[in-house]
């Protein structure tokens, strides 16, 4: 089946540890996105990438890092510099700059 | 000012009612417009794209007014299953970077 896969669905980490969230798509989409959603809040853009080996900061990039070494993969690292990392993280992809985006099922990260 | 603004609601309506959601966006260079639906603790799913000429999909009608930078979604004959958060999404902008910006969402609760 074609789609976007995020793993794991739930993730627990200790404070001060870096953690990497996986996002893979087999839709041959050029663009990929990472969002963060806090309870009762909207989606906030962390990073996005329109093409392999290139990415741009979103509105809340501090404390996060990404890479886009392959078209199908856009992993997000939550570093220890992120002050409040506990949240619902959503990855999305779209065919190009103008078309709709499709989402993975998300990863719920809890830092204790 | 937020780039995309929606009335968060909640909108509480009886089954069979007609309900309308509005959304405004600040960047006049925005290229593409969408409505997504998000159920509790799930990923957003595309409801429909929004075109300048307006478009309809069953009980749902979306309209775009570029001059006023305003997007609307009309739901007719509301069903219990329509209860969800509706997200207004704007894509593109200056230089058409493909940046995908979400409003904070409008919550709809349809009651028997």
């Amino acid at each position: 089946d074609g789609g976007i896969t995020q793993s794991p669905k739930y993730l627990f980490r200790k404070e001060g540890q870096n953690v990497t969230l996986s996002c893979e798509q087999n839709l041959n989409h050029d663009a990929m996105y990472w969002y963060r959603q806090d309870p009762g809040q909207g989606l906030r853009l962390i990073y996005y990438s329109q093409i392999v080996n290139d990415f741009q900061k979103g509105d809340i990039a501090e404390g996060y890092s990404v890479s886009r070494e392959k078209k199908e993969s856009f992993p997000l690292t939550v570093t220890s510099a992120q002050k409040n990392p506990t949240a619902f993280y959503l990855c999305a992809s779209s065919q190009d700059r103008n078309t709709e985006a499709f989402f993975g099922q998300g990863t719920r990260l809890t830092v204790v | 000012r937020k780039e995309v603004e929606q009335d968060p609601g909640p909108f509480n309506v009886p089954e069979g009612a007609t309900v309308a959601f509005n959304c405004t966006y600040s960047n006049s260079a925005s290229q593409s417009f969408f409505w997504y639906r998000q159920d509790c603790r799930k990923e957003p799913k595309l409801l429909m794209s929004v075109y300048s000429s307006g478009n309809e999909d069953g009980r749902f009608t979306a309209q775009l007014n570029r001059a006023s930078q305003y997007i609307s979604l009309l739901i007719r004959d509301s069903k219990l299953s329509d209860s969800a958060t509706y997200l207004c999404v704007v894509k593109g902008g200056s230089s058409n970077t493909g940046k995908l910006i979400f409003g904070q969402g409008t919550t709809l609760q349809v009651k028997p």
Side-chain angles (χ1 to χ4, degrees):
Chain A
D1 284 350
I4 304 167
T5 302
Q6 288 187 245
S7 60
K9 191 171 182 180
Y10 298 95
L11 188 57
F12 295 87
R13 279 293 182 269
K14 290 184 178 180
E15 194 173 339
Q17 290 181 333
N18 290 358
V19 58
T20 297
L21 311 184
S22 169
C23 180
E24 304 277 332
Q25 54 99 358
N26 60 5
L27 301 168
N28 200 35
H29 284 174
D30 285 328
M32 296 187 75
Y33 307 81
W34 273 107
Y35 292 88
R36 168 184 173 137
Q37 188 173 37
D38 294 283
Q41 304 296 313
L43 278 71
R44 292 185 291 167
L45 182 63
I46 305 173
Y47 270 98
Y48 63 112
S49 168
Q50 297 298 324
I51 197 168
V52 176
N53 292 323
D54 189 38
F55 49 82
Q56 289 78 40
K57 291 182 179 180
D59 300 316
I60 56 164
E62 186 175 349
Y64 299 97
S65 66
V66 293
S67 63
R68 186 86 188 275
E69 296 176 2
K70 297 185 294 183
K71 188 175 186 178
E72 60 269 26
S73 179
F74 192 40
L76 173 75
T77 297
V78 184
T79 74
S80 56
Q82 169 50 234
K83 299 303 180 190
N84 298 294
T86 294
F88 186 36
Y89 289 88
L90 288 156
C91 178
S93 72
S94 67
Q95 185 174 356
D96 56 39
R97 295 169 191 271
N98 296 311
T99 53
E100 66 275 11
F102 298 93
F103 283 82
Q105 291 188 315
T107 293
R108 291 194 181 275
L109 173 64
T110 301
V111 175
V112 295
Chain B
R1 181 186 173 189
K2 292 182 180 177
E3 292 185 71
V4 180
E5 295 207 59
Q6 295 180 249
D7 179 351
F11 284 60
N12 294 300
V13 303
E15 270 188 292
T18 295
V19 60
F21 304 139
N22 301 319
C23 169
T24 58
Y25 60 97
S26 61
N27 191 336
S28 60
S30 297
Q31 302 288 325
S32 308
F33 309 89
F34 310 96
W35 283 101
Y36 280 73
R37 169 192 171 131
Q38 186 176 26
D39 293 291
C40 189
R41 298 180 68 82
K42 298 286 190 182
E43 76 276 19
K45 293 187 177 176
L46 179 69
L47 182 64
M48 57 198 307
S49 301
V50 188
Y51 305 116
S52 297
S53 55
N55 49 303
E56 186 174 310
D57 183 2
R59 298 182 293 107
F60 299 84
T61 301
Q63 300 245 321
L64 167 64
N65 184 323
R66 285 189 184 270
S68 301
Q69 295 178 208
Y70 170 96
I71 306 159
S72 66
L73 176 69
L74 183 76
I75 304 175
R76 291 180 298 279
D77 188 23
S78 299
K79 312 291 185 192
L80 295 176
S81 57
D82 293 334
S83 298
T85 297
Y86 291 83
L87 302 165
C88 173
V89 182
V90 173
K91 198 173 191 185
S94 303
S95 305
N96 194 13
T97 60
K99 192 175 178 184
L100 191 66
I101 302 297
F102 283 74
Q104 70 267 41
T106 299
T107 300
L108 172 66
Q109 186 68 44
V110 181
K111 298 187 181 299

